[in-house]
Amino acid sequence: MDDRRETVRLLEPDGTTVPGAQLPPPDRLLDGYRGLVHARRLNEQAGALVRQGRLAVYPSSRGQEACQVAAAMVLGDDDWLFPTYRDTAAIVARGVDPVEVLTMLRGDRHCGYDVAGHRVAPQATPLATQLLHAVGVAHAARLKGEPDAVLALCGDGATSEGDFHEALNFAAVFRAPVVFLVQNNKYAISVPLHRQSAAADLADKAVGYGMPGVRVDGNDLPALLTVLDDAVSVARSGGGPTLVEADTYRMEAHTNADDAGRYRDESEVASWAGRDPLVRLRARLRADGLLDDDAERALTDDAERMAAALRAGIAAECPVDPEDLFAHVYAHPTPQLREQRAQLRAELEVTP
């Protein structure tokens, strides 16, 4: 008996439409494709910057770009996005300057962008902690009667954390307007999914919390837009949270510090290459006459300009002030901190 739940899919891997499927409007699909082209180029450029020593590390989302782009597209200006360390492309798709997003990964002390201005929380490196923050913001919006919705991203590994349970339980009990998007890319660093969860599907976990659970093809942008649009609409209208599991795959290693060849076969990676989200949507748009060579060339050129601006921005010198060491600990510095700051200042005057 097959106990797997149905996976929502609108496009087959070759770009043909699933019989009976209703795709989002053409202009939205084109916007989504542009986002995919930018996200793919962003991943490539950030990886190159790591190899050049310009960035300390970069967790690539190559292969997961449809999840990244859809997460940003379904939110309104006043909604909130809570990303993980792998969700740089989602933040950029939300409209944040790529240079600002990657500032943290070049070693700066802060996340680089205006969190409140963009309604995007800082990227969370600890697993699942951002889910609690997302629920708190959503619950506050509900209490204040604001129409905001919150979308929180996490990976399959985060679903094994205690914070995941606490966040989903609280959200369901208090009907917080939040959508949890789990990007099931099959590995928690090197640990395969079957070694960390016995659940048939991660979306099944929603049942235990009393909220809807949906499993969607995470490499199918039209399906993601449809499912997430519905979930955000439910949250915004007071219907409470939804857990969405996106079935996708991390095509590259966990980070540049990881050797994925030690825990997975090339044949497995190759099997997922045939489900590439960008190739799939491109085939559909081409078949419908919505995309031609000139339009593709324009999108590629636009992505190249983004990459060039990213290279220039990351390469630029970032002035530092040593006294910042003491600037953000207390609103009113202690006598000890004032003494240490004065000592550092005196030493810098002698030896700049």
Side-chain angles (χ1 to χ4, degrees), residues 156-157 160 184-197 263-264 268:
D156 46 286
S160 299
N184 177 4
N185 67 16
K186 310 298 179 287
Y187 288 93
I189 305 184
S190 59
V191 180
L193 181 62
H194 71 271
R195 294 290 301 275
Q196 60 159 317
S197 177
Y263 55 84
R264 67 183 189 185
E268 178 183 302

Side-chain angles (χ1 to χ4, degrees), residues 54-233:
R54 298 288 185 181
L55 296 178
V57 67
Y58 181 73
S60 173
S61 61
R62 185 183 180 92
Q64 302 176 218
E65 292 98 334
C67 299
Q68 301 282 294
V69 172
M73 288 184 68
V74 299
L75 296 178
D77 290 343
D78 292 332
D79 296 332
W80 276 87
L81 178 71
F82 280 75
T84 75
Y85 56 84
R86 197 178 300 284
D87 300 322
T88 298
I91 304 172
V92 173
R94 179 84 167 134
V96 184
D97 185 331
V99 176
E100 294 183 5
V101 183
L102 291 175
T103 290
M104 182 179 69
L105 297 183
R106 69 187 293 194
D108 210 310
R109 61 175 169 76
H110 55 77
C111 80
Y113 53 87
D114 182 346
V115 169
H118 293 291
R119 314 283 273 189
V120 178
Q123 289 177 274
T125 299
L127 295 186
T129 56
Q130 79 282 1
L131 303 182
L132 296 167
H133 306 157
V135 171
V137 169
H139 185 52
R142 190 186 69 85
L143 292 177
K144 291 190 288 187
E146 296 173 346
D148 309 340
V150 176
L151 191 149
L153 292 154
C154 70
D156 46 286
T159 66
S160 299
E161 297 284 335
D163 285 353
F164 176 85
H165 161 70
E166 294 166 14
L168 270 71
N169 190 60
F170 188 100
V173 170
F174 292 96
R175 302 181 70 77
V178 57
V179 177
F180 302 98
L181 175 55
V182 179
Q183 296 173 86
N184 177 4
N185 67 16
K186 310 298 179 287
Y187 288 93
I189 305 184
S190 59
V191 180
L193 181 62
H194 71 271
R195 294 290 301 275
Q196 60 159 317
S197 177
D201 294 303
L202 297 178
D204 290 345
K205 293 175 181 274
V207 176
Y209 300 108
M211 69 173 72
V214 183
R215 193 170 195 268
V216 60
D217 187 327
N219 289 14
D220 179 350
L221 185 71
L224 281 160
L225 290 174
T226 300
V227 168
L228 293 175
D229 272 341
D230 288 346
V232 169
S233 178

Side-chain angles (χ1 to χ4, degrees), residues 270-293:
S271 70
W272 278 89
R275 300 170 60 177
D276 187 291
L278 194 148
V279 174
R280 185 185 305 199
L281 183 55
R282 176 178 180 270
R284 181 67 269 154
L285 294 174
R286 281 274 188 175
D288 290 342
L290 298 171
L291 193 66
D292 57 21
D293 290 344

